[in-house]
Amino acid sequence: MNIDLPGGRQLDVSEPVVMGVLNVTPDSFSDGGRHVDVSRAIDVALRMIDEGATIIDVGGESTRPGATPVSAEEECRRVLPVIEALRLRSNCIISIDTMKPDVMREACRAGASIINDVNALRSDQALTAAMESGAAVCLMHMQGEPQTMQHSPSYSAVVDEVIGFLRERIAACVTCGIPESRLLIDPGFGFGKRLVDNLDLLACLPALATLGRPILVGMSRKGMLGQLTGRAVDDRLAAGTAVAAIAALHGAKIVRTHDVAATLDAIKVGYAIRAASQAIVRPA
Ligand code: 7PM
């Protein structure tokens, strides 16, 4: 399966690919002051590409529960220099993690070819901005808003609700002139979800695939892994690679992670074992 990108480019996801997370907030790449240190951010991006990342996801606003929102101007000041510098140094696919239409426009002008919107283009003008940019779009499910989404998530049937939501957002994109061939879908692990909800979605990932678009998943370092293992955020690598391999075997085509090399290893091992099991000729 292919995803259409601007400029006639395509992303082939017949085998899973990895998206490396590049947070460019002052707390991740500080130059000692309030600014993002571009050259340090680029070093990290180039290392992730070297490790096998196909996509680099650049984000300038933390969606962490309770995080302070930033203006579109500040978000642009953080992400645009990094996107421009990365564009010059690599032909990797750049995605922009934002909910804001102005940031979408500017980031795509600077060289991003995927819009990764945890709000699924529900912000005012976001559908238009995405359509005009020609970029591919990742539509993610979230219950509530980043600030408060983990206060009291509740579902009667989480898988049905997520599928219904994503179906509606795909339709909204198509109505606005964004062809389906540009769309990705994402159940939004940890975005207004309890552990049981996250586990149900992971188990039922093949049901999401019936929407006909490639599935992106992001579980790297998230709270669900802490709940399952009792480990702090910096000690969740093993759990993260395990769920990445499982998600890939359940049909995920893009895995968003902070840990590119280890995640690719886990996916490769899982895929090899499945290929071997499919090659076994069983008696009728
Ligand atoms: C706090 C909470 C800090 C959540 C960081 C996060 C996803 C995403 C993020 C995802 C897509 C993180 C997340 N998660 N985009 N952006 N899917 N498409 O762990 O699951 O990086 S932010």
Side-chain angles (χ1 to χ4, degrees):
M1 194 187 285
N2 285 324
I3 300 156
D4 283 338
L5 303 175
R9 211 172 160 194
Q10 291 194 321
L11 170 58
D12 177 6
V13 290
S14 39
E15 299 226 335
V17 300
V18 165
M19 167 187 267
V21 178
L22 190 67
N23 282 321
V24 290
T25 51
D27 49 318
S28 10
F29 292 106
S30 174
D31 58 0
R34 294 173 295 109
H35 300 285
V36 168
D37 186 333
V38 176
S39 74
R40 285 178 53 196
I42 295 300
D43 287 346
V44 171
L46 294 176
R47 192 178 67 225
M48 291 195 288
I49 293 163
D50 194 51
E51 290 177 357
T54 302
I55 306 165
I56 299 295
D57 188 39
V58 181
E61 177 185 38
S62 179
T63 43
R64 191 172 293 107
T68 333
V70 299
S71 67
E73 292 72 29
E74 176 58 22
E75 220 178 304
C76 283
R77 267 197 289 280
R78 294 174 182 179
V79 298
L80 294 181
V82 173
I83 293 171
E84 284 159 8
L86 186 55
R87 181 73 305 145
L88 293 174
R89 298 283 298 274
S90 161
N91 65 355
C92 75
I93 295 166
I94 300 172
S95 95
I96 173 67
D97 187 344
T98 190
M99 304 194 269
K100 298 190 185 73
D102 289 342
V103 181
M104 293 172 190
R105 284 196 191 88
E106 294 300 319
C108 292
R109 200 169 298 155
S113 46
I114 300 178
I115 294 166
N116 175 27
D117 182 2
V118 300
N119 202 34
L121 303 183
R122 287 176 295 166
S123 314
D124 197 35
Q125 294 301 312
L127 277 165
T128 310
M131 183 271 288
E132 288 172 356
S133 74
V137 177
C138 179
L139 299 169
M140 196 196 80
H141 175 273
M142 166 167 62
Q143 184 179 81
E145 276 157 29
Q147 304 280 55
T148 52
M149 64 192 179
Q150 288 306 105
H151 291 182
S152 58
S154 96
Y155 298 89
S156 51
V158 68
V159 177
D160 292 348
E161 220 173 293
V162 168
I163 291 175
F165 172 84
L166 292 173
R167 180 181 286 119
E168 185 273 324
R169 296 314 298 158
I170 291 172
C173 285
V174 170
T175 301
C176 187
I178 304 171
E180 267 199 79
S181 60
R182 284 191 205 150
L183 302 178
L184 305 168
I185 54 172
D186 181 342
F189 289 103
F191 283 83
K193 284 154 192 114
R194 301 160 297 179
L195 179 59
V196 285
D197 303 320
N198 291 315
L199 291 175
D200 280 358
L201 286 165
L202 183 54
C204 295
L205 223 47
L208 260 71
T210 61
L211 291 171
R213 295 308 305 155
I215 298 168
L216 185 154
V217 297
M219 289 178 277
S220 181
R221 302 184 185 177
K222 281 188 181 173
M224 61 181 284
L225 305 179
Q227 289 173 286
L228 289 168
T229 62
R231 293 192 190 277
V233 63
D234 289 332
D235 297 316
R236 295 174 188 164
L237 174 61
T241 60
V243 291
I246 292 163
L249 291 177
H250 287 193
K253 297 302 188 190
I254 301 180
V255 177
R256 184 180 180 276
T257 181
H258 304 81
D259 306 294
V260 171
T263 299
L264 261 177
D265 281 359
I267 294 170
K268 280 181 191 164
V269 169
Y271 253 60
I273 291 165
R274 182 167 66 186
S277 76
Q278 286 168 344
I280 295 170
V281 181
R282 291 188 186 77

